[in-house]
Amino acid sequence: MTYISRGGSEFMTKKIKARLNTFNYYIPLLSELIIRDIKLKYRKSFLGYLWSILSPLMTMSIMLIVFSNIFRFDIEHYAVYLIIGQIVFNYISESSNIAMWSITSNAVLLKKTYVPKYIFTFSKICSSFLNMIFTLGALLIVCLLSQIRINIYMLFIPVILLQVYIFSIGLGLFIAQATVFFRDIKYIYTAFLTAWMYATPIFYPIKSASIPVQVFIRYFNPLYSYITQFRLIVLEGVFPDYKLIIYGFVVASVSMLLG
């Protein structure tokens, strides 16, 4: 039994090493695909990369007018509260949507030569992640206008973004392979994203929801963990609860494994 377990362990180790070596071999291709995606996104655009900052600012301004005047949520620094939720949700929405067709849109190339299929999905998620990094410029502008104080805990923000990134990779890989077999995923996922947006406290405080809904959001909506960690650091200047961090990494890891 010991021999069998050792043999199985060695086999898995070799398999993982082989896959990592394959991934390393295709890193130059991955880099080129990411650069191409970013260039195509802003091709023939007069303002180019500035739209990464202007677009979330414009959307935030519209939502700020609607939700602060009509619904009148009493949240301090509501503009910052709003744009943090918007940035995180928009990244997951955008990355998963473009990852959805990453394999099927490259079917011709995949039939002609061997390329690991996940490379195309990775490139979409990575290019979308870089775009999200650009949008942090919009967050910085809003923080300065709102006179948010810089604090030492903001150094933890890259760790939060890492959680979101790992989660998005798993989600993108899962949806990309599912789309190969079920093209109806496009319509189902669009409806799912709409429901997911309203089930995430992006523009409303979680306390405004009923107790059962609050429990559902806290324990079954991974975006709540990522957005709350972000807001605690930026808006309240405190380090997130370790339970939120552990939950965020666990969900991200499960998503990656499933993907």
Side-chain angles (χ1 to χ4, degrees), residues 163-174 222 226 249-259:
Q163 296 174 49
V164 179
Y165 175 65
I166 295 172
F167 176 80
S168 298
I169 290 174
L171 179 61
L173 288 171
F174 181 82
Y226 306 135
F249 272 113
V250 168
V251 171
S253 301
V254 170
S255 173
M256 174 71 95
L257 289 172
L258 288 175

Side-chain angles (χ1 to χ4, degrees), residues 102-121:
S102 58
I103 297 176
T104 53
S105 62
N106 290 285
V108 176
L109 177 61
L110 288 169
K111 289 176 181 178
K112 291 181 178 179
T113 183
Y114 172 76
V115 178
K117 299 175 183 64
Y118 63 80
I119 290 293
F120 296 102
T121 307

Side-chain angles (χ1 to χ4, degrees), residues 85 88-97 164 167-168 170-172 175 188-204 216-217 220-227 247 251 255:
V88 176
F89 180 81
N90 285 354
Y91 165 62
I92 291 179
S93 174
E94 179 189 79
S95 62
S96 56
N97 267 309
V164 179
F167 176 80
S168 298
L171 179 61
I175 290 185
I188 297 171
Y189 190 63
T190 299
F192 173 77
L193 275 179
T194 303
W196 198 2
M197 180 182 70
Y198 287 109
T200 305
I202 297 172
F203 46 81
Y204 62 86
F216 176 81
I217 291 173
F220 298 100
N221 187 347
L223 284 188
Y224 171 77
S225 169
Y226 306 135
I227 292 173
Y247 176 83
V251 171
S255 173

Side-chain angles (χ1 to χ4, degrees), residues 14-71:
K14 288 180 180 179
K15 192 173 182 180
I16 292 170
K17 286 183 178 179
R19 291 194 173 184
L20 287 174
N21 289 334
T22 302
F23 179 75
N24 289 333
Y25 180 79
Y26 285 98
I27 282 179
L29 173 62
L30 177 62
S31 300
E32 288 298 322
L33 290 172
I34 293 171
I35 293 170
R36 183 201 65 178
D37 290 340
I38 293 174
K39 286 182 177 179
L40 286 175
K41 183 178 178 66
Y42 299 105
R43 187 177 59 178
K44 296 182 180 180
S45 172
F46 180 72
L47 294 177
Y49 299 111
L50 281 176
W51 279 115
S52 295
I53 297 175
L54 292 176
S55 182
L57 283 176
M58 292 168 65
T59 306
M60 182 216 67
S61 299
I62 295 170
M63 295 179 74
L64 183 64
I65 293 170
V66 172
F67 292 106
S68 62
N69 290 290
I70 298 177
F71 294 95

